[in-house]
Amino acid sequence: MFIRTYIAYLKKLIRTKSVVFWVIVFPFALGTLFYLAFGSIYSSSRSNPIEVSVVVSDDAIKEYKDINPAATDKVTAKDLPISLMLKELKYEDDSPMLKLFYEDKDKAKKNLKSKKVKGIITVNGINDIILDISENGLTQDILANIISIYKSNTSIIEEKITSMIESGNLKVSDEKNTSMIETGNLKVSDEKNTSMIESGNSEVSEEIFTPDTEYTEYVTNKALMGDNNDPYLIYFYNLIAMVCIMGSLSVLDCVCSAHSSESYEGMRICVSPVNNIIMNLSIFAACLTFQIAVTLITLIYLIFGLGINFGGNLGYIFLTAVLGTLLGCSLGFFIAGIHGLKLKTRNSILMWIMLGGGFLSGLMFANMKSIIEEKMPLINRINPSAVLTDAFYSINLYGIGDRFMRAIYYLVILTVLLLSASIILSRKKEGGVYASV
Amino acid sequence: MLLYKAFFKIVKKNLPMILMYVSIILMITLISKVSLEKSAEERRALKYDIIVENKDDSEISKELCTYLSKIHNVTDKKLTRDQIKEKIFYEEILSYIVIPKGFGDSFETDGDLKPESLYDENMPVGMSVNMQINTWLNSVKNYQKLGLSLKESVEKCDETLNPDSYVHLETSKKNEKSLTESVFNYLPYGILSAILLSILPVFSSFNEEKKNQRILAAGLPATKRNLYFALASISLAMILLIVFDAIGSIAGGPEIMFTKTWWFVILNTLCYVICASLLALMISNIFNLNNTGVSIVTNIVGLGFSFLGGTFVPLEYLGDEAKIIGKFTPNYWYSTANDYIFQGKNMSNILLCFGLQLIIGVALFCVGLTVAKVRKKA
Amino acid sequence: MEEIVRVNNLVKRYKDLIALDNFSFSIKKGEIFGLLGPNGSGKSTTINCILSLLTYDKGEVYLFGEKMNVNRNDIKKRIGLIGQNVAVFNELSVYENIDFFCGLYINDKATRRKYVEDALEFTGLNDYRKKSPKKLSGGLIRRLNIACGIAHKPELIIFDEPTVAVDPQSRNNILEGIKDLNKNGATVIYTSHYMEEVEEICSRILIMDKGHEICQGTADELKGQIKNTENVILNVKYIDESDLEGLKKIHHVYSVKYADKVLTIRFSGGKHNISHVLDYISEHSINYERIYSELPTLNDVFLEITGKELRD
């Protein structure tokens, strides 16, 4: 009985061309669109110059002229030490790190407001430098760090000069000294996303300063992410979660079509002496098989067709996807088992869970899941999309360990709960007559 | 009139789903509001939540901790490594820094022992904390080389390095304005999905009727029937437009209403609604969709357009190829117009974006008609 | 004779509407039992209650002498249902469909294979076994529908309006099939609102309306219960009111009705009634196109008891 029904429903599913078409088209189309939208984001953001306004006050130029007798009247804002340093900043690939706009305060403010520039560097004196930003972010941090390194170096040099003067080693009028303030080629390496700013040797009087201003990398970086650190992966996790949960729709359709209230075939099945639990389970198994195939084809397309690196062990990724499909199908089974609902209502419920759940796990608003985790963590434990994306995330993030196992536990617990509830509900046949008076 | 009513009867059947998109937009509005208010509280520039675990006893490591707690919100809760990972994973904290035992000695002697920093590459700002530590330690070292004591060096560093002294976060005083901007930027997703979900089923069920030769409007000539359909579609689109615009406007507060910006924003949504309706008509002309088809097409188009057109992810983050494809979606021009409006760009720029949305709509509609005609001939 | 079906005082309400009102009847083994009534009279509701597809408010249903309920799989095993709508899977072939539905009853593979072959043979679908139902003509798909319902060789077969929207040829085919099934030993319940069919095949008929039994018996018994013995029918383009009155005065006439250019004259007893009518017509020079005489039908039975036509 079980196997016969299973085979019959599997045939029915595979031969329903419109269903097969849409079920396959959905992940392929969305996957490709996601790929197009996000495929090149990461690489493109890598070595784009950061746009910065530079506002140099007349006082700063004057101060520079005062302490640097070598400076002629022709000295402009672009000749100041800070300007030279900013200009020299390079990415790994030797492309300039900053794009500088020398302009007046008002124009700079306007540009900052319209987000044309990321920040304004205001130079009021050799060591009096202010950074204006309009929001917090990585680029702003890089700018702040550049300034802090400059400030640190200048103040150290100032300190040195002072201490030398005090100890009588240095004459104040020494022409060379003033130009020493110029910090040389700061190099910023962007390898592995770590914009480490190294300042090289300052172009200063070698005999005094050279060995001291070296920049040591003190902190050992330990990235949290695993194999693939592209944050847009979360959208693909969500896509797979959606495909898995879409399995619920076909289970719903098939199980309900065996209800006497939903189809004539269902009436026929209901008047036959079949065991409802076995009948429903075999329909469920047929849909599950079909959906697992869909999920696997989707994954294969994403991984091997589009070349998306999910990070972590491929076997476990497939395993998680299969478990996710089981979860999705169980969800459909459960909704189909609730007595006394119209098919349309059941469908709406599932669409709500699929899309609403997708929204809550970050399908449209990437930070959503962490916001929920903070405010209402329970939702992340029972929202199928969140449970699934979490599992994928932790494979990539933590590898196969406790964290992943915990995600899988939630997945399995939720599945078992839904499945057992469905079986209990299946013991009683759904009554009613299709298209009755 | 009968046809008009039948149209809305079918729409009513799909109301729960349409309401879902409305509530997603509502949720986004709410979240944007909360997160904007939150960031308004955290006005201090470049200040983050971090965890520092100091295993060392030396002066330098203590001073480093003090410095970090000055420039960031440092938590020194005792947590397991897994819990910390979890916290970083959910972006509750930015990074986790461990100062190993014996670092002080190592620092003195230029040894290899180094602080470790754990952060999420999803939030690369975590690196900036590392940079700050590096800069601070380097400066301290350099000052010490000049003969300054540790205490003096630290004081000097505090003066020069504390971002408070040289970084100003420009507070945009009108947060409501940026809330309106972000909410209106999300609207196309809701509008497009809701329109597809309400118009497509109507046409598919009328096509079904045709098959059964029981067309409701059997007595009506085709042109009149299409007129009724058009009227009903327009009324529906207008209802949806009012609902979504109301959400955006309420989020923006009374200050924004009836200002010039507001009128432009509303015009922008109007252009988008027209384009979305024409798109729905095109799809119903080309495909004969069943229920599953309708929801899947709605999802593909709704999500796909929103991702490619800068509705969910800001346009500036999209790659070049994505942008090229995105330009064929009305969402792209909607988002661009929205940016322009709030940046106070030239009217001509904004109008161009409006026009492009309409042109895309008309072009799509014509494609639909052509396909339908070619198919009829065949 | 063994009682196959017994329904006692069945009451079924749909909110305000009473679909079945203390409805009772019984069916004996080997009968073709006709359940006749206009649309909405409660025929399908009765069937659905018998099969436990619907719950009912009061009453009992006994099948094969045992109380039926939704979990009585042993009873369900002995029943076959053929509804008015085709209930097959479009995605499965003819053979697969019969095999699937037969498989719900018969687990043994060899037996099932034989039963499916028998059903194919019986319904004449042998040549179409690999076809998809979508490619079958209307008549053939009806036969498939029947094949799916009878393949497991049930003892009680329920036909719920199997001839709705079926062309005349297929209809005869179906009716012949039902007779054959009955000959092979099956008890049959047949519901319809086509009295001719019921009259043709049923050994016993129950006429119902508004959830009540109107009358029951063999077709002849039912007709014997009423005063109508003969109807004379004329196609007349125009007739005066006075002539209608005149016709009424003919001996044995008890009703004259003119509607839609058809004049129906009902007689209660009497011989040569048609010649009396012809005499009157030629006397009053009434133009007619056609005249014929008819024995009373079940429609007349229904009409006489309820005062309304069965057909509408």
Side-chain angles (χ1 to χ4, degrees), chain A residues 370-390:
Chain A
S370 58
I371 293 173
I372 298 286
E373 188 67 30
E374 199 177 316
K375 309 265 179 213
M376 285 169 284
L378 185 66
I379 290 182
N380 275 353
R381 302 289 93 79
I382 57 172
N383 173 8
S385 305
V387 170
L388 251 173
T389 43
D390 198 48

Side-chain angles (χ1 to χ4, degrees), chain A residues 56-339:
Chain A
V56 180
S57 71
D58 292 340
D59 289 348
I61 299 175
K62 200 166 160 273
E63 189 192 345
Y64 179 67
K65 281 181 188 163
D66 286 348
I67 58 170
N68 189 356
T72 60
D73 280 351
K74 283 181 184 165
V75 164
T76 63
K78 290 182 188 176
D79 299 320
L80 292 186
I82 173 89
S83 304
L84 295 174
M85 180 204 80
L86 293 174
K87 201 177 135 198
E88 282 297 314
L89 289 171
K90 296 257 164 58
Y91 281 112
E92 274 278 282
D93 60 3
D94 238 27
S95 62
M97 192 174 190
L98 303 177
K99 193 172 176 192
L100 303 167
F101 298 94
Y102 287 89
E103 48 203 7
D104 61 44
K105 189 108 201 156
D106 293 340
K107 187 137 189 254
K109 283 218 157 143
K110 208 175 152 198
N111 282 340
L112 182 65
K113 205 176 162 198
S114 67
K115 293 181 181 162
K116 208 180 150 195
V117 296
K118 296 285 182 194
I120 307 172
I121 296 174
T122 311
V123 186
N124 290 324
I126 295 299
N127 204 13
D128 182 2
I129 290 162
I130 305 284
L131 172 69
D132 285 286
I133 52 176
S134 62
E135 57 189 342
N136 287 342
L138 177 61
T139 32
Q140 286 79 0
D141 271 297
I142 292 173
L143 291 177
N145 275 291
I146 292 169
I147 306 289
S148 78
I149 290 169
Y150 172 82
K151 280 170 72 87
S152 156
N153 286 342
T154 354
S155 72
I156 287 166
I157 291 164
E158 274 178 351
E159 189 66 33
K160 274 189 177 180
I161 296 167
T162 322
S163 68
M164 281 173 180
I165 294 168
E166 278 168 4
S167 62
N169 286 342
L170 198 72
K171 277 183 248 161
V172 193
S173 62
D174 196 329
E175 281 174 30
K176 259 189 176 176
N177 289 335
T178 39
S179 63
M180 293 168 200
I181 299 165
E182 296 177 12
T183 29
N185 34 339
L186 268 161
K187 270 200 180 166
V188 176
S189 68
D190 198 40
E191 197 183 13
K192 290 179 198 160
N193 283 314
T194 41
S195 308
M196 296 168 240
I197 300 177
E198 302 165 12
S199 72
N201 292 343
S202 300
E203 214 183 285
V204 288
S205 173
E206 298 89 65
E207 70 252 38
I208 313 170
F209 299 108
T210 314
D212 299 342
T213 43
E214 239 168 49
Y215 190 90
T216 316
E217 195 69 38
Y218 280 106
V219 181
T220 320
N221 289 318
K222 280 216 172 150
L224 185 65
M225 285 292 273
D227 276 6
N228 186 359
N229 49 27
D230 190 335
Y232 296 98
L233 214 47
I234 189 84
Y235 293 115
F236 288 97
Y237 295 149
N238 262 299
L239 174 67
I240 299 175
M242 226 167 144
V243 172
C244 290
I245 291 159
M246 249 176 72
S248 63
L249 292 175
S250 74
V251 177
L252 179 72
D253 248 26
C254 288
V255 172
C256 280
S257 78
H259 286 173
S260 63
S261 54
E262 292 301 346
S263 77
Y264 298 118
E265 298 92 275
M267 277 173 76
R268 194 160 248 173
I269 290 166
C270 279
V271 301
S272 75
V274 290
N275 180 323
N276 209 36
I277 295 176
I278 295 177
M279 182 80 199
N280 281 352
L281 274 177
S282 74
I283 296 175
F284 171 75
C287 294
L288 182 64
T289 312
F290 176 73
Q291 287 299 330
I292 285 176
V294 170
T295 308
L296 293 185
I297 292 170
T298 305
L299 261 185
I300 288 169
Y301 174 69
L302 293 178
I303 293 175
F304 300 106
L306 296 179
I308 290 159
N309 175 11
F310 277 85
N313 185 312
L314 263 190
Y316 281 94
I317 289 170
F318 277 95
L319 177 77
T320 311
V322 169
L323 284 176
T325 314
L326 179 62
L327 172 65
C329 289
S330 311
L331 178 69
F333 196 10
F334 174 70
I335 301 291
I338 300 172
H339 290 275

Side-chain angles (χ1 to χ4, degrees), chain B residues 137-154:
Chain B
L137 286 172
N138 275 302
S139 300
V140 169
K141 186 111 198 163
N142 286 331
Y143 282 123
Q144 280 182 318
K145 276 185 185 166
L146 289 176
L148 271 71
S149 71
L150 179 64
K151 206 165 178 201
E152 285 167 332
S153 309
V154 169

Side-chain angles (χ1 to χ4, degrees), chain A residues 349-387:
Chain A
I349 293 174
L350 280 184
M351 290 303 287
W352 266 84
I353 294 176
M354 193 170 95
L355 267 178
F359 167 68
L360 293 178
S361 68
L363 177 62
M364 298 121 198
F365 199 83
N367 285 340
M368 206 53 214
K369 203 167 127 226
S370 58
I371 293 173
I372 298 286
E373 188 67 30
E374 199 177 316
K375 309 265 179 213
M376 285 169 284
L378 185 66
I379 290 182
N380 275 353
R381 302 289 93 79
I382 57 172
N383 173 8
S385 305
V387 170

